[in-house]
Structure formats: structure tokens, C-alpha cells
Amino acid sequence: MRTAFWLAGATALALTAPAFAGDSIKIGFVSTFSGPTAVIGNDMRNSFELALDHLGRKMGGKPVEVIYEDDQQKPDIGKQKTEKLVQSDKVDFIAGYIWSNVLLASLKTAVDSQTFLVSANAGPSQLAGELCSPYVFSTSWQNDQTPQAMGLYMNQKGVKSVFLIGPNYAAGKDMLAGVKSTFKGEVKGEEYTVWPTQLDFSAELSKARASGAESIFVFYPGAAGVQFLNQYAQAGLKAQMPLYTAFTIDELSLPLQKDNAIGVPGAQEWVNDLPNEQNKKFVADYRKKYPNLRPTYYGAQAYDAAQLINSAVVAAGGDTSKKDAMKAAMEKANFPSLRGAFKYGNNHIPIQNFYLQDVVKDADGALSLKTVATIVKDDQDRFHDKCPMK
């Protein structure tokens, strides 16, 4: 049944897709633009807009129209907004999606209508495996990959034991599973917290302390990451149990985490100081367009999503009814990615490098992230062999 998921769209195109290419390229962008995590959605939108600026606000010679929709961090709302974009707005592409549970709820709508969907953040394991689709691409990663890289780094550091903490939803489960798949030491325990409402982690920190583990691994994006790191430091654990993270410290959370973030390593496929020319231009122009803000990996992935979509439209000569031509172009990943060159696996998940990042103070005394080392090169997700596309 699941294997047939991506095939179902073959008979649905006439019902939901536009009958001919329009005068503009219409893109729906689903993200979170309200509530505590709106800062992430806003950053993704900022970077997507900057990419459009760099493209002259056109793709394949046609003007670009973007319809932004707020999923409110709720799967049912995300699904409704995706249905609106496909069925009412008749967009040519859908992009965005921060949260794995929102993306999973929205996926079938896009696939059944043969509307290309580009995930700029969420990377649930199902998307890389049995629910992969010719019409779905990622410009981020599969969720397990980043914590897998951190597990490898912990091995290099000689860490012997760890206590795992994360939120109880699709991405949280993938993240902790990713660490466990590469970490060679002992997992002394793991705790899953209520998502997204729980922001008090005192009980989990007490369990970690009592477990006898020498370290903690945690995954908490957004406001939860700020709260966790502050409580970890306040509990006096920073000097006792080193913390290893994925997606917990970024350029959005750093101004609130402050010095608590110093000395806490993370892993990521993009850091602001990657030395390719496209990335240098992106970082400089982002800071010029949005003063007092720094670009993040969320934004970098959204920027790449716009560039990937542009490569498809250009290959089709602006005719978005040429699905095969657009799919073939996207599979080549022949666009100026901010992370440098990468390639797609059979499941449309990037095969790419992951870097160790650390928090440093720049010349102005402001905190920022710095690339320290390459943890793993050309990493491919571990679910690609479950994808029916070959």
C-alpha cells in the first residue's frame, strides 16, 4: 500500500493540476508564521525572497508569484493549507515545511496532484523511504543524518555513555534514532517530552544526572532549545555532563542563549562561513537586506529551494506542464547551492557533507557559528534503499 503511494498521482492529474502553463510561476510556501516558532518561518521566507531577488523575480522568463501560508505548527492546518494551494490556487510548486508531522500530513495532497513539493527543512524517514515520490525533493536532509554525524563526532571524542532527550513527534524520534545508529557507546536512557507545549525540562535533566551518563544529547529547535539550554546551565550540568546537540543552537536562538551556548558543539550541512562564492553573496546580501539578523540553515535551505525550482522552470522553458523535463532537471541538482556541490540520491534526498559547528564571538563581540571540521563527506541517508524509485 505504501509503495503505491507515489503512483497514485498518475490518475489524479486531470482532476487537480492546471490544464496549461500560466503567465506566471506560482509557488505555494507553507511554513509557521505565527506563535513562538514564527521566527523560523520568517527566516525561511526572508531567504526565499532574497533568492527571488537574486533571480530577478523571474523564472524561465516569467514573473514569480508566491503565496505564503501559515500552518500554525499544526498538521491538520498544514494539510488544509496545502489542499488550498493545490486545489484552489493551482500552484506549480509547493515549498517550505519546517515540521515533519506537518509535512507527512500534507504529502499525499501534493503527490496525488503531481505538484512538485520541495521540503526546505522537514525530513521524516518515511519521505526518504517508502513514501518517496518522483514529485517530492528535499533541499535539507533526512532527519537522522545530522544526529548521525554528531554520533560519529562523539565517537571521535571518546564519549563512552550518553543520555538522550528530545520531543515526542516524528522528527524527535528520528533524531534520537540517528544518534543511536552511529554512537558506539552506551545509551543510559532516553526521554521524550510533550511537543510543542512542554518547556520545563527539570525532570528530564534530573533523570539524566541520575543515569550516570557522562554526556547528554538533545534535539530541541526554536524556543524549546533556548529554554533547554538555559535550564541545563542553571542546573549546573554544563561543568558535569557535556552537551551534544542537533538543531538546538542556531543564529536565531543564539541571541537568547548567549554564553550558555559557548562550548556546546553541533552538526549541520550548512554553516554561514562555507567558502563558496554563492554562499558569500547570500550571507552578505541577507545581512544587508535584513539588518541586525543573521542567516540560518533554515534560510539557506529555503534559498536553495528557490534555486532548485528555478532550475526546473528554466529547463522546461517556462512551461510548467513539462513535468518530466522539470523532474530530470531537479534530479541533476545543477543549481548554485549555498552548501556547494551536492547530488541527489534515488529518493531525492541530498548526498552531502556534514560539518562540526561551534559558537564563537566575532570581532564585534557578537556570537555566531563557525565551521570547525568536516565530520562526514558525501553522506547518504540510511532509508534510501527502502524507496521504490531506483
Side-chain angles (χ1 to χ4, degrees), residues 206-350:
S206 294
K207 289 179 181 179
R209 190 198 302 266
S211 72
E214 67 174 90
S215 65
I216 299 173
F217 172 87
V218 67
F219 160 69
Y220 281 113
V226 175
Q227 292 297 322
F228 182 90
L229 197 59
N230 290 345
Q231 292 170 29
Y232 162 79
Q234 290 166 4
L237 289 176
K238 193 169 184 181
Q240 301 172 15
M241 300 178 72
L243 184 65
Y244 300 89
T245 70
F247 306 105
T248 302
I249 298 172
D250 57 47
E251 301 283 8
L252 298 176
S253 63
L254 265 178
L256 298 174
Q257 292 164 329
K258 299 180 181 177
D259 287 358
N260 287 338
I262 295 176
V264 180
Q268 195 48 263
E269 104 291 5
W270 177 89
V271 190
N272 62 78
D273 59 355
L274 292 183
N276 67 78
E277 292 305 313
Q278 187 75 13
N279 190 54
K280 292 178 182 178
K281 177 176 175 58
F282 164 70
V283 172
D285 288 355
Y286 186 100
R287 298 198 67 182
K288 186 183 301 181
K289 184 170 184 177
Y290 309 108
N292 303 318
L293 294 177
R294 291 176 180 266
T296 73
Y297 62 85
Y298 297 111
Q301 293 158 181
Y303 183 98
D304 275 5
Q307 293 283 358
L308 176 66
I309 291 170
N310 178 64
S311 72
V313 176
V314 170
D319 184 352
T320 55
S321 69
K322 295 180 177 179
K323 304 276 187 179
D324 289 343
M326 293 195 296
K327 172 178 171 290
M330 294 168 81
E331 287 177 338
K332 293 177 183 176
N334 187 22
F335 67 94
S337 170
L338 299 182
R339 74 204 72 173
F342 74 86
K343 61 183 178 180
Y344 276 119
N346 61 297
N347 55 1
H348 298 165
I349 304 294

Side-chain angles (χ1 to χ4, degrees), residues 135-149:
Y135 299 99
V136 180
F137 287 78
S138 167
T139 53
S140 56
W141 21 253
Q142 191 278 316
N143 286 339
D144 297 44
Q145 288 183 283
T146 307
Q148 280 180 293

Side-chain angles (χ1 to χ4, degrees), residues 112-149:
D112 282 357
S113 64
Q114 296 187 344
T115 304
F116 284 107
L117 185 153
V118 181
S119 174
N121 193 70
S125 53
Q126 299 94 323
L127 187 73
E130 65 268 25
L131 296 186
C132 70
S133 166
Y135 299 99
V136 180
F137 287 78
S138 167
T139 53
S140 56
W141 21 253
Q142 191 278 316
N143 286 339
D144 297 44
Q145 288 183 283
T146 307
Q148 280 180 293

